[in-house]
Amino acid sequence: MARRPHNAPPQRDTGPRVNDRIRSDSVRLIGAEGENLGVVTPERAMDLAAEADLDLVEISPNADPPVCKIMDFGKFKYETQKREAEARKKQKTIEIKEIKMRPGTDNHDFERKVTDAKKFLENGDKVKVTLRFRGREMAHQNLGREMLEKVVDEIEGIGKIESMPRMEGRQMVMMINPVTK
């Protein structure tokens, strides 16, 4: 058994209370087959669970009286863990993909970057379009805004603008969300 470090807090039990950890005067008992056995004392419920060679698990601790069920607690924990893993597997994490350009980006390079943006949006990711200004390009921010409007025209129907183009220091930034179908 591993020792806890001297200053570590005691470990907290998470999940439902089981067997002798149930602290109440009476419990509403549900049998192993799902039948309602009525309100009994925890000792009587423990005896019934021991006869069935199963555990007594507190299902609804906030009810009056608390609801307990006779079940195999190990199997219950395993099935709960499996359900949570399955739910995590089905979740889609939305990533933010970034496309960087300059006001002087040529047409072919621009089209290539727009194609990448379309691909990202079709995969369900957000796209952050960054237009970086260097030196005297800062004097021609209108060219950058026109370039971002051109991006919006190209991705119409695939994505919608989350945030309009805005300046952040020497960069003009725009966020695009995928269109949900």
Side-chain angles (χ1 to χ4, degrees):
M1 183 169 161
R3 288 185 49 204
R4 279 189 299 123
H6 181 347
N7 58 356
Q11 293 177 340
R12 293 182 49 99
D13 282 336
T14 57
R17 288 184 275 219
V18 183
N19 297 334
D20 56 346
R21 293 188 184 276
I22 297 172
R23 308 251 185 260
S24 72
D25 299 331
S26 61
V27 295
R28 183 170 306 278
L29 186 62
I30 298 172
E33 308 300 321
E35 69 278 5
N36 189 353
L37 301 177
V39 178
V40 297
T41 64
E43 293 79 23
R44 174 80 178 120
M46 282 291 298
D47 292 340
L48 290 170
E51 285 175 19
D53 200 28
L54 296 171
D55 300 307
L56 182 66
V57 181
E58 192 174 43
I59 300 297
S60 180
N62 298 331
D64 189 34
V67 179
C68 295
K69 185 173 182 181
I70 297 174
M71 65 170 72
D72 183 356
F73 186 61
K75 184 177 177 184
F76 172 73
K77 276 178 42 175
Y78 174 75
E79 288 171 352
T80 304
Q81 201 174 16
K82 281 290 197 191
R83 275 195 304 271
E84 289 170 356
E86 192 67 32
R88 277 194 303 272
K89 195 184 298 182
K90 290 180 181 175
Q91 284 180 343
K92 169 86 171 87
T93 55
I94 296 176
E95 291 185 38
I96 297 178
K97 304 286 190 169
E98 186 173 17
I99 292 178
K100 293 184 179 182
M101 293 188 270
R102 300 253 324 273
T105 302
D106 207 20
N107 281 338
H108 180 268
D109 296 331
F110 174 82
E111 289 169 9
R112 178 74 200 136
K113 290 185 185 274
V114 168
T115 304
D116 288 343
K118 287 179 182 177
K119 194 182 326 171
F120 296 148
L121 291 168
E122 286 167 355
N123 289 337
D125 297 322
K126 287 185 176 185
V127 176
K128 178 180 181 180
V129 182
T130 304
L131 201 68
R132 172 168 274 147
F133 296 95
R134 290 172 62 188
R136 296 188 61 159
E137 292 173 348
M138 284 296 285
H140 303 286
Q141 291 180 12
N142 58 335
L143 294 175
R145 192 166 301 277
E146 288 171 9
M147 191 173 229
L148 290 180
E149 287 171 4
K150 199 170 157 188
V151 170
V152 171
D153 292 340
E154 292 283 331
I155 58 124
E156 193 171 341
I158 301 170
K160 61 179 185 277
I161 299 176
E162 177 183 317
S163 64
M164 294 301 289
R166 67 181 185 284
M167 287 300 292
E168 291 180 359
R170 292 188 153 276
Q171 301 185 128
M172 191 176 286
V173 178
M174 174 176 69
M175 290 292 290
I176 304 171
N177 281 339
V179 173
T180 54
K181 295 172 183 166

